[in-house]
Every structure is written in C-alpha cells, then in structure tokens.
C-alpha cells in the first residue's frame, strides 16, 4: 500500500509530496514540528502535543495553518489513509513560502502544513527495551531556545551521527557546568541510590517532552518519588538506572555510556514498571 501525505490542503502520494523551494522551513529551518505515537489504533497524548505545538508557534510568531479542530481531522485522515494502528504521525508547520529574505514575509503569507504517518517496528522497540541501548556524551552546542520544538536540528543530527559511529544509539548533551541536559532526541532520567527518579527541570535549557510530562503522572501513580533538579555526568554514571524518554519509544533503558557500563549493565526494574504502566495513564484519542 502506498503512503499518503497531507500537504497544504491536499492528500497526495507520499513519494510525490513536496513544498516550494522557497519554503522557509527549507531555506531557514523556520518552522516547528511534533511527533506523536499511535498505539492500538489510539493517538497517545494528542492534547499535550497540540498544546506544545501552540506554544512553539506562538514563541516563533508563526500562524496556525488551520483551526485546531480541523487539524485533528487531518491527522485522523492521514492515519486512516495509511492504515496506521501502531506507529506515529509527524506534523510540521513552517512560516510559509516567500521570496528569500531573513525578515518575516508579508502579513497574510499562509503557513505551510505537512502531516505524514508511518508504522513502526514493534519488535525492534521491544528488543531495545529488553536489551537496553548505549549512549555517548557530547558538549552542548545548540541554540538557547531548545524549549521550542524547532526543525533546526543540525547539532542534533551531528550528535546522533557521532553516536552511531561509536556504536551507540543516543547522544546526551552535557552543559558547560558539567550537568546533564537531554539527549539529541530524548529527555534523560536517572534512578538514584534511594530508588527515586531525577530529571533536569524543563524551565530552561531542555525541551519539555510530552512523554516526560506524562511519565511524571505515571511515576506518581506507581508510587515513585520524582526530583526535578540538575545532575552531573558523574551522578549519571553512578546511577542505579539511566533511561531516556521520547514519544515513539516511551522509555529506553541506557546500559552503557561512553563505553562504561551503567549499574549491572542490564535494564532496570523502575524503567520497566514505568513503561508497562504508561499506556494506561496516558491520554488516548480514537483515530
């Protein structure tokens, strides 16, 4: 079955989908995006994802491409047309197409909207959860507004490539003061010696992940203590567990960082318990 994409008001063949060469997302990375998990025919945490989209657009002063209710209709249509029951949808909004100029285009220039969907490999995700993944650390080199889910991800791309070349699956950013920030595409958590969860506050310097937010609800539900405070690379290396969270993977245990084994080198029980309880607690919206 061929994939279908939504681009600026039309459902088109994925292989033939495109935007104008002067689209500001292409020219300047002048846009934002969201990625949302689909599980068992249900959209996970849709409200929170669209709330974050609203915030990202407002921070960059990009207009919504359509009413929120209309966008939900489009998302459902893309998922149905691609017959995705377990997978993800990707949504991107840019400032639109206009003559190349660094300043904003003329008032009234329509935003560009793209929505795609695809199935994911449940077996691969299960293997990563059962075996754990490896990570490396890299120095922070991104712009200051990583709280906005911008499509300007070149530093993240380079970090992930470095991780791949070193046999790892994620790169974890370390701030200039030695504290852990976040992964190239994930939030980072540790379990301390007392069994408590710790993650960096999201007020500044990291993205407020939707999975991160829902995981806090899950943690409270299963009786875990959460501490939002910065922690150092050394604290991470000495943790009982380290795991990363993202919309399409929920919770991957990290068993080695920079070639050093974390704890006993196996996925821990805390991340497993959180992962097993996550779907029951998360918001679920029917396709």
């Amino acid at each position: 079955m061929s994939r279908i994409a939504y681009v600026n008001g039309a459902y088109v063949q994925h292989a033939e989908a495109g935007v104008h060469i002067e689209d500001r997302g292409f020219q300047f990375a002048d846009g934002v995006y969201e990625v949302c998990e689909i599980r068992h025919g249900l959209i996970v945490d849709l409200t929170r994802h669209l709330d974050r989209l609203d915030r990202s657009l407002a921070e960059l002063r990009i207009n919504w491409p359509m009413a929120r209710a209309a966008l939900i209709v489009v998302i459902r249509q893309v998922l149905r047309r691609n017959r995705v029951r377990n997978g993800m949808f990707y949504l991107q909004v840019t400032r639109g197409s206009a003559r190349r100029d660094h300043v904003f285009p003329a008032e009234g220039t329509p935003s560009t909207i793209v929505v795609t969907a695809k199935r994911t490999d449940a077996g691969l995700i299960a293997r990563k959860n059962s075996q754990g993944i490896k990570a490396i650390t890299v120095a922070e080199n991104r712009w200051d507004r990583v709280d906005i889910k911008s499509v300007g991800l070149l530093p993240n791309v380079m970090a992930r490539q470095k991780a791949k070349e070193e046999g790892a699956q994620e790169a974890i950013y370390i701030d200039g003061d030695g504290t852990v920030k976040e992964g190239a595409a994930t939030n980072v958590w540790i379990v301390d010696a007392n069994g408590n969860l710790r993650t960096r506050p999201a007020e500044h310097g990291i993205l407020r992940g939707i999975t991160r937010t829902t995981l806090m609800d899950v943690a409270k539900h299963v009786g875990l203590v959460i501490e939002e405070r910065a922690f150092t690379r050394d604290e991470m290396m000495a943790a009982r567990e380290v795991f990363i969270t993202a919309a399409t993977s929920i919770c991957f245990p990290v068993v080695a960082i920079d070639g050093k084994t974390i704890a006993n080198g196996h996925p821990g029980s805390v991340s497993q318990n959180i992962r097993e309880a996550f779907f029951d607690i998360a918001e679920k919206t029917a396709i």
Side-chain angles (χ1 to χ4, degrees):
M1 184 188 72
S2 60
R3 291 175 64 190
I4 301 297
Y6 178 88
V7 183
N8 292 335
Y11 297 94
V12 297
Q13 292 293 320
H14 188 276
E16 300 172 3
V19 296
H20 194 275
I21 60 171
E22 290 192 311
D23 186 88
R24 291 180 65 92
F26 175 66
Q27 298 276 4
F28 297 112
D30 190 0
V32 301
Y33 74 102
E34 285 291 334
V35 178
C36 195
E37 183 192 18
I38 313 303
R39 192 189 298 192
H40 308 317
L42 299 169
I43 307 171
V44 180
D45 286 328
L46 179 61
T47 299
R48 282 176 167 167
H49 279 281
L50 294 183
D51 286 347
R52 186 174 62 181
L53 174 66
D54 184 57
R55 179 183 181 276
S56 294
L57 291 171
E59 289 293 313
L60 296 182
R61 295 158 59 189
I62 297 175
N63 295 325
W64 270 78
M66 62 182 73
R68 181 166 172 149
L71 180 55
I72 293 173
V73 171
V74 168
I75 290 168
R76 283 180 164 140
Q77 278 295 314
V78 171
L79 292 169
R80 290 169 184 169
R81 291 177 186 226
N82 288 282
R83 300 180 185 176
V84 174
R85 290 189 54 80
N86 291 283
M88 54 164 279
F89 76 75
Y90 176 87
L91 159 66
Q92 180 169 308
V93 181
T94 78
R95 205 178 301 276
S97 298
R99 181 181 62 85
R100 191 180 190 280
D101 191 348
H102 283 69
V103 301
F104 293 175
E107 188 70 28
T109 299
S111 304
T112 293
I113 170 72
V114 173
V115 183
T116 61
K118 68 177 182 180
R119 301 168 189 172
T120 51
D121 185 345
L124 176 61
I125 293 173
R127 285 193 297 275
K128 286 184 176 181
N129 280 322
S130 64
Q131 299 171 3
I133 68 166
K134 298 177 181 178
I136 63 169
T137 58
V138 294
E140 177 62 280
N141 64 346
R142 301 170 298 168
W143 77 315
D144 192 53
R145 294 305 309 276
V146 293
D147 58 295
I148 300 171
K149 201 165 178 67
S150 161
V151 297
L153 296 173
L154 184 57
N156 308 61
V157 168
M158 300 304 291
R160 268 289 180 90
Q161 180 63 25
K162 187 173 189 292
K164 179 181 179 181
E165 291 169 355
E166 295 188 21
Q169 292 77 46
E170 180 58 302
I172 297 172
Y173 284 105
I174 306 297
D175 216 344
D177 62 2
T179 57
V180 175
K181 295 196 78 174
E182 60 185 344
T186 58
N187 289 127
V188 180
W189 302 72
I190 65 172
V191 180
D192 67 19
N194 297 317
N196 298 328
L197 282 178
R198 200 179 302 168
T199 191
R200 188 183 182 105
E203 280 72 25
H204 178 78
I206 69 169
L207 180 71
R208 190 180 294 275
I210 302 305
T211 303
R212 174 189 183 277
T213 301
T214 299
L215 188 145
M216 290 185 172
D217 296 338
V218 176
K220 292 173 184 175
H221 179 77
V222 300
L224 291 169
V225 176
I226 304 172
E227 185 180 7
E228 284 190 272
R229 76 162 178 85
F231 54 88
T232 66
R233 179 186 180 279
D234 289 343
E235 287 178 292
M236 178 174 68
M237 301 301 287
R240 181 190 292 187
E241 294 182 39
V242 178
F243 61 90
I244 57 175
T245 55
T248 54
S249 58
I250 306 301
C251 176
F252 278 157
V254 180
V255 297
I257 300 174
D258 291 335
K260 180 181 177 181
T261 300
I262 300 299
N264 64 3
H266 297 282
S269 60
V270 172
S271 61
Q272 178 180 341
N273 291 340
I274 289 172
R275 185 169 59 253
E276 290 175 351
F278 188 92
F279 188 65
D280 290 336
I281 304 300
E283 179 200 49
K284 295 169 283 293
T285 303
I287 297 174

